[in-house]
Amino acid sequence: MMSSSSRHPEVERAYDHLDDVETQVPASVPHTPERLEQLRTSVEEYENAEDESDQVELLDRIDQEIDELRDAIEREVEEGADAAHEALAKTEQRLSELRDRLHG
């Protein structure tokens, strides 16, 4: 891997953004560490590629890896929101039952 001081600024920012993703994504999203490591590896391969066609191919692969991670995050967030809404609905139902008993 190139030292961060010799990296192209855009590549350095890409690594920084991957670090941001790592701190923001819930640990419950399956395979996040592995996916982020693969993304870092792909960025490093891009960084070291000398042939423009290889760079284009690697950028396409990075786009696909980002899309896959984004989809996994969205699925997990949606499932988490659904579970939270269900838990809240059950809580409301229990409280309603308690209220009915008080008035009943």
Side-chain angles (χ1 to χ4, degrees):
M1 183 187 308
M2 295 177 98
S3 72
S4 61
S5 62
S6 62
R7 284 187 180 137
H8 187 281
E10 294 299 324
V11 172
E12 185 61 34
R13 284 195 287 274
Y15 280 112
D16 290 343
H17 294 311
L18 289 175
D19 292 343
D20 292 344
V21 170
E22 189 167 33
T23 61
Q24 296 297 320
V25 174
S28 60
V29 177
H31 311 293
T32 298
E34 297 92 340
R35 286 182 170 143
L36 286 170
E37 188 58 36
Q38 180 57 51
L39 272 165
R40 285 185 180 98
T41 298
S42 295
V43 171
E44 182 177 354
E45 288 175 15
Y46 168 82
E47 186 178 21
N48 294 325
E50 294 182 16
D51 183 89
E52 187 175 319
S53 66
D54 289 343
Q55 291 175 331
V56 169
E57 185 178 309
L58 285 162
L59 288 173
D60 289 343
R61 185 170 83 195
I62 291 167
D63 280 341
Q64 181 179 354
E65 291 169 0
I66 289 170
D67 288 343
E68 290 169 2
L69 179 56
R70 180 182 294 117
D71 291 346
I73 293 167
E74 287 175 3
R75 277 191 305 274
E76 188 65 25
V77 167
E78 287 170 4
E79 290 171 8
D82 290 345
H85 290 185
E86 185 177 325
L88 287 171
K90 288 178 182 178
T91 302
E92 286 177 321
Q93 179 62 35
R94 298 302 162 252
L95 294 173
S96 177
E97 291 170 3
L98 290 171
R99 186 176 293 114
D100 289 347
R101 285 186 198 150
L102 289 174
H103 297 297

